Each structure stands twice: as C-alpha cells, then as structure tokens.
Amino acid sequence: LAGPLTAPAQLSARAGQIAPLALPATRRHTAQLHSAPPALAAVEMARALPEHVPTTDLGPLALNRIRDNYGARLKKTRIGRGIGSGRGRKSGRGMKGKRARAGNHGFLKQSGGQTSMISRIPKRGFHRPKKEYVIVNLDDLQSWLLCGRLPTPTADQPLTVKHLFDARLVTLRTRHSGLKLLGRGGSTLEPIPIHIEAQVASQPAIAAIEAVGGSVRTVYYSQLALRALLKPENFARKGRLLPRPALPPPKLMLKYMDPERRGYLSDLEPGDVVRPQEHPPHVNLSARNPDATSPVKTQPRGRGSGGKEG
C-alpha cells in the first residue's frame, strides 16, 4: 500500500459504499482498478483472492504469509541416520571398493579400457607467464619520504628496490620482477626532487617526478640478480660469488633502450655488443664476496668420488 496501513474495519466500511467489482479481465477494467485509490484497490484485490487464502490483521498479502508452492522445495535425503531411514548403514554406497571411498576417482579419465578422451585430444597452445611487479604510486612514495621511512635520495644515490624492501614497505615474492612506478598523486607532489630506479615506470609518473626536479631510470634485474641485490648476506653465508648482471631478454631489450621510458640502455643502438665487463654500472661488477676469505670448495662428481685415490 502506498499510504499508511488502514484498519480492517475502515476498509470494510469503505468497501460497503462502493459497488463490488468483478475480477478484471480486460485492459479497461485493469485501468479502472489501477486508477482507484490505494486503499480501495487493496480491498478489491482481497475480494478477488480465493477463499482458502488466510487473512491477517495486516491483510491477505502480508509478508509472513508468503510461501512456496507445494512441492517446490524437496527435503534433502539425509544418509547415515540409521537403518530405519532407508539410507543408513552403508549410506547407499554398497560394500567396499573404489566407489565406496571418498574423493575424486578420476572417472572422467577412464573410458572402459579404450583410449580416454583426454589422451585422444592433442595438446595445443602454450603458457606464457606474465611478469608481475610490485606497484608503488607517487603519493605513497612521497608520504614515505616525508615521514622518514626512506632516506633522502640524490642523483648519485637514487632510491632502489632494496631501499623499499629493507624498510619493509613492499613485499617481493619469487614471482615479482621488481617495482612498477605509477603516477597516482602526481598532481599534488611536494617540490621535493625524487631520484628513483624502478623496473617499469609509467609516462605520467616520469613527467610528474621530472617536473619537480627529480629523475627516473628503469633498470632490469634478472631473478638471480634481484635476489642477490635484496639479500646479499645469503650468498655470503654460503660462500658464493655474487652473480654478474644479466642483460634484458630480447623481448624487453627495446624497452630498456627507449629514452622515453628512461631505460638504462638508452645509449646503445640495436646491434651493439655489450661484454660482461662493459655492463652499465647499476650492478657491482666486482662479483666477489669480500666476506669470504676461503675459496669455495667443490666436491668431485662421479662414482669414484667417495673411494680411495689411486
């Protein structure tokens, strides 16, 4: 009802003043019924209902009287509730065997002895895993710098992924390939120059940082080189050498050679040869662990490695 609820006595009094209407069967009668006041329309709808519909103080269309049709909902069979229930003892699974056990039995992989459908269909396509990065926005980066959680960067010592990792501001999993710098909050940056090295940077982020006097450089790290950068103590504890830097794969080489993306290989041209000792200086090329005083001992391999010499 559109208005407030009306008492049944008042509804019946009003209903006695109007002529009883038949069940609307045409569009004209339906239009007349809809054009009537809400209270009168409710009375006529109540008259049109069958006699077995119960009525309450709120009327025959109360929410507490709404029910599903008989048979619309079936009770779930409860198994294992005793032999009197009809599905007790073995719960309809019979005696022992594979079908009596729980779990997936691999019936879709079986075809009664013939070659299964999975074996007949050839394998097509391949899986190309996408590189994942930890996203860092400019507003978060600026708040970390202002509150002192990150050191003040300079042109000679820019912020790297290791600074954010050591400050526990980012979490790098094995699947991650570094940082991805995005430009959220670039319009409200403080006039503080930010010098940062990331693996990927968007164009709005580069423009916002350079507008306040900062600089951005995108640097590639392989999985091994990134692990050595974040946790070099693991290599020192095991007496291993730090890995040499690796060049980007061919599919990523052009991205790091693009000056618009501020790639660290922007000085190179396609076809140039880069030797290991000529790598860019973003990775320490000493590749030697200063803490390891003794050389790494290697065990000989083969069947005779454990036997006596001679």
Side-chain angles (χ1 to χ4, degrees), residues 90-108:
K90 301 295 184 180
S91 302
R93 287 177 174 260
M95 294 293 287
K96 297 178 291 184
K98 178 188 291 188
R99 296 180 183 270
R101 316 300 185 193
N104 182 17
H105 308 304
F107 290 138
L108 297 178

mmCIF file of all heavy atoms in Angstrom, residues 90-108:
data_model
loop_
_atom_site.group_PDB
_atom_site.id
_atom_site.type_symbol
_atom_site.label_atom_id
_atom_site.label_comp_id
_atom_site.label_asym_id
_atom_site.label_seq_id
_atom_site.Cartn_x
_atom_site.Cartn_y
_atom_site.Cartn_z
ATOM 1 N N LYS A 90 25.303 -48.488 5.115
ATOM 2 C CA LYS A 90 26.264 -48.248 4.034
ATOM 3 C C LYS A 90 26.000 -46.933 3.306
ATOM 4 O O LYS A 90 26.745 -46.587 2.393
ATOM 5 C CB LYS A 90 26.227 -49.390 3.023
ATOM 6 C CG LYS A 90 26.551 -50.753 3.606
ATOM 7 C CD LYS A 90 27.977 -50.823 4.098
ATOM 8 C CE LYS A 90 28.311 -52.232 4.593
ATOM 9 N NZ LYS A 90 29.693 -52.333 5.085
ATOM 10 N N SER A 91 24.947 -46.230 3.659
ATOM 11 C CA SER A 91 24.631 -44.918 3.077
ATOM 12 C C SER A 91 24.460 -44.978 1.563
ATOM 13 O O SER A 91 24.757 -44.026 0.854
ATOM 14 C CB SER A 91 25.711 -43.890 3.434
ATOM 15 O OG SER A 91 25.829 -43.774 4.834
ATOM 16 N N GLY A 92 23.994 -46.078 1.053
ATOM 17 C CA GLY A 92 23.741 -46.192 -0.370
ATOM 18 C C GLY A 92 24.965 -46.433 -1.212
ATOM 19 O O GLY A 92 24.879 -46.406 -2.441
ATOM 20 N N ARG A 93 26.130 -46.693 -0.587
ATOM 21 C CA ARG A 93 27.373 -46.887 -1.343
ATOM 22 C C ARG A 93 27.737 -48.357 -1.524
ATOM 23 O O ARG A 93 28.728 -48.657 -2.180
ATOM 24 C CB ARG A 93 28.529 -46.172 -0.646
ATOM 25 C CG ARG A 93 28.483 -44.659 -0.790
ATOM 26 C CD ARG A 93 29.598 -44.019 -0.011
ATOM 27 N NE ARG A 93 29.667 -42.586 -0.238
ATOM 28 C CZ ARG A 93 30.502 -41.971 -1.061
ATOM 29 N NH1 ARG A 93 31.355 -42.693 -1.779
ATOM 30 N NH2 ARG A 93 30.508 -40.675 -1.186
ATOM 31 N N GLY A 94 26.988 -49.245 -0.948
ATOM 32 C CA GLY A 94 27.286 -50.657 -1.111
ATOM 33 C C GLY A 94 28.460 -51.085 -0.249
ATOM 34 O O GLY A 94 28.808 -50.447 0.751
ATOM 35 N N MET A 95 29.085 -52.187 -0.675
ATOM 36 C CA MET A 95 30.208 -52.734 0.072
ATOM 37 C C MET A 95 31.488 -51.973 -0.268
ATOM 38 O O MET A 95 31.460 -50.926 -0.878
ATOM 39 C CB MET A 95 30.360 -54.228 -0.244
ATOM 40 C CG MET A 95 29.205 -55.078 0.248
ATOM 41 S SD MET A 95 29.095 -55.151 2.051
ATOM 42 C CE MET A 95 30.477 -56.210 2.393
ATOM 43 N N LYS A 96 32.608 -52.552 0.098
ATOM 44 C CA LYS A 96 33.884 -51.868 -0.078
ATOM 45 C C LYS A 96 34.226 -51.718 -1.552
ATOM 46 O O LYS A 96 33.627 -52.320 -2.423
ATOM 47 C CB LYS A 96 34.988 -52.658 0.637
ATOM 48 C CG LYS A 96 34.805 -52.752 2.132
ATOM 49 C CD LYS A 96 35.889 -53.579 2.778
ATOM 50 C CE LYS A 96 35.780 -55.049 2.412
ATOM 51 N NZ LYS A 96 36.780 -55.873 3.131
ATOM 52 N N GLY A 97 35.221 -50.868 -1.824
ATOM 53 C CA GLY A 97 35.677 -50.647 -3.182
ATOM 54 C C GLY A 97 35.906 -49.174 -3.465
ATOM 55 O O GLY A 97 35.778 -48.313 -2.587
ATOM 56 N N LYS A 98 36.275 -48.878 -4.713
ATOM 57 C CA LYS A 98 36.586 -47.505 -5.078
ATOM 58 C C LYS A 98 35.371 -46.608 -4.961
ATOM 59 O O LYS A 98 35.452 -45.466 -4.496
ATOM 60 C CB LYS A 98 37.135 -47.450 -6.502
ATOM 61 C CG LYS A 98 37.447 -46.042 -6.970
ATOM 62 C CD LYS A 98 37.807 -45.989 -8.428
ATOM 63 C CE LYS A 98 39.140 -46.648 -8.688
ATOM 64 N NZ LYS A 98 39.578 -46.434 -10.094
ATOM 65 N N ARG A 99 34.197 -47.107 -5.345
ATOM 66 C CA ARG A 99 33.005 -46.268 -5.311
ATOM 67 C C ARG A 99 32.510 -46.023 -3.895
ATOM 68 O O ARG A 99 31.673 -45.138 -3.681
ATOM 69 C CB ARG A 99 31.907 -46.896 -6.147
ATOM 70 C CG ARG A 99 32.251 -46.980 -7.617
ATOM 71 C CD ARG A 99 31.125 -47.621 -8.409
ATOM 72 N NE ARG A 99 31.493 -47.760 -9.805
ATOM 73 C CZ ARG A 99 31.263 -46.848 -10.738
ATOM 74 N NH1 ARG A 99 30.670 -45.717 -10.399
ATOM 75 N NH2 ARG A 99 31.614 -47.059 -11.991
ATOM 76 N N ALA A 100 32.972 -46.788 -2.944
ATOM 77 C CA ALA A 100 32.578 -46.572 -1.560
ATOM 78 C C ALA A 100 33.476 -45.586 -0.840
ATOM 79 O O ALA A 100 33.145 -45.141 0.255
ATOM 80 C CB ALA A 100 32.572 -47.899 -0.792
ATOM 81 N N ARG A 101 34.600 -45.239 -1.456
ATOM 82 C CA ARG A 101 35.543 -44.317 -0.821
ATOM 83 C C ARG A 101 35.209 -42.879 -1.196
ATOM 84 O O ARG A 101 34.526 -42.612 -2.187
ATOM 85 C CB ARG A 101 36.982 -44.626 -1.237
ATOM 86 C CG ARG A 101 37.355 -46.087 -1.240
ATOM 87 C CD ARG A 101 37.223 -46.747 0.112
ATOM 88 N NE ARG A 101 37.693 -48.118 0.085
ATOM 89 C CZ ARG A 101 37.469 -49.006 1.045
ATOM 90 N NH1 ARG A 101 36.783 -48.655 2.122
ATOM 91 N NH2 ARG A 101 37.941 -50.231 0.946
ATOM 92 N N ALA A 102 35.732 -41.978 -0.418
ATOM 93 C CA ALA A 102 35.543 -40.554 -0.677
ATOM 94 C C ALA A 102 36.636 -40.043 -1.601
ATOM 95 O O ALA A 102 37.712 -40.634 -1.713
ATOM 96 C CB ALA A 102 35.554 -39.757 0.627
ATOM 97 N N GLY A 103 36.337 -38.946 -2.272
ATOM 98 C CA GLY A 103 37.330 -38.308 -3.118
ATOM 99 C C GLY A 103 37.019 -38.477 -4.596
ATOM 100 O O GLY A 103 36.073 -39.163 -5.000
ATOM 101 N N ASN A 104 37.842 -37.847 -5.414
ATOM 102 C CA ASN A 104 37.696 -37.918 -6.858
ATOM 103 C C ASN A 104 38.353 -39.198 -7.371
ATOM 104 O O ASN A 104 39.531 -39.445 -7.146
ATOM 105 C CB ASN A 104 38.349 -36.690 -7.498
ATOM 106 C CG ASN A 104 38.185 -36.680 -8.999
ATOM 107 O OD1 ASN A 104 37.353 -37.393 -9.528
ATOM 108 N ND2 ASN A 104 38.985 -35.877 -9.665
ATOM 109 N N HIS A 105 37.576 -40.005 -8.079
ATOM 110 C CA HIS A 105 38.070 -41.299 -8.535
ATOM 111 C C HIS A 105 38.623 -41.248 -9.949
ATOM 112 O O HIS A 105 39.066 -42.277 -10.467
ATOM 113 C CB HIS A 105 36.944 -42.335 -8.474
ATOM 114 C CG HIS A 105 36.264 -42.393 -7.139
ATOM 115 N ND1 HIS A 105 36.949 -42.611 -5.969
ATOM 116 C CD2 HIS A 105 34.980 -42.211 -6.783
ATOM 117 C CE1 HIS A 105 36.100 -42.583 -4.948
ATOM 118 N NE2 HIS A 105 34.904 -42.329 -5.419
ATOM 119 N N GLY A 106 38.583 -40.073 -10.584
ATOM 120 C CA GLY A 106 39.122 -39.967 -11.928
ATOM 121 C C GLY A 106 38.298 -40.690 -12.975
ATOM 122 O O GLY A 106 38.859 -41.256 -13.919
ATOM 123 N N PHE A 107 36.984 -40.671 -12.824
ATOM 124 C CA PHE A 107 36.149 -41.363 -13.803
ATOM 125 C C PHE A 107 36.182 -40.674 -15.159
ATOM 126 O O PHE A 107 35.953 -41.300 -16.186
ATOM 127 C CB PHE A 107 34.708 -41.434 -13.290
ATOM 128 C CG PHE A 107 34.536 -42.365 -12.120
ATOM 129 C CD1 PHE A 107 33.752 -42.021 -11.048
ATOM 130 C CD2 PHE A 107 35.179 -43.593 -12.097
ATOM 131 C CE1 PHE A 107 33.595 -42.863 -9.972
ATOM 132 C CE2 PHE A 107 35.034 -44.450 -11.035
ATOM 133 C CZ PHE A 107 34.237 -44.091 -9.956
ATOM 134 N N LEU A 108 36.440 -39.359 -15.183
ATOM 135 C CA LEU A 108 36.497 -38.664 -16.462
ATOM 136 C C LEU A 108 37.718 -39.071 -17.278
ATOM 137 O O LEU A 108 37.741 -38.880 -18.495
ATOM 138 C CB LEU A 108 36.514 -37.147 -16.231
ATOM 139 C CG LEU A 108 35.278 -36.562 -15.560
ATOM 140 C CD1 LEU A 108 35.466 -35.073 -15.344
ATOM 141 C CD2 LEU A 108 34.031 -36.831 -16.378
#
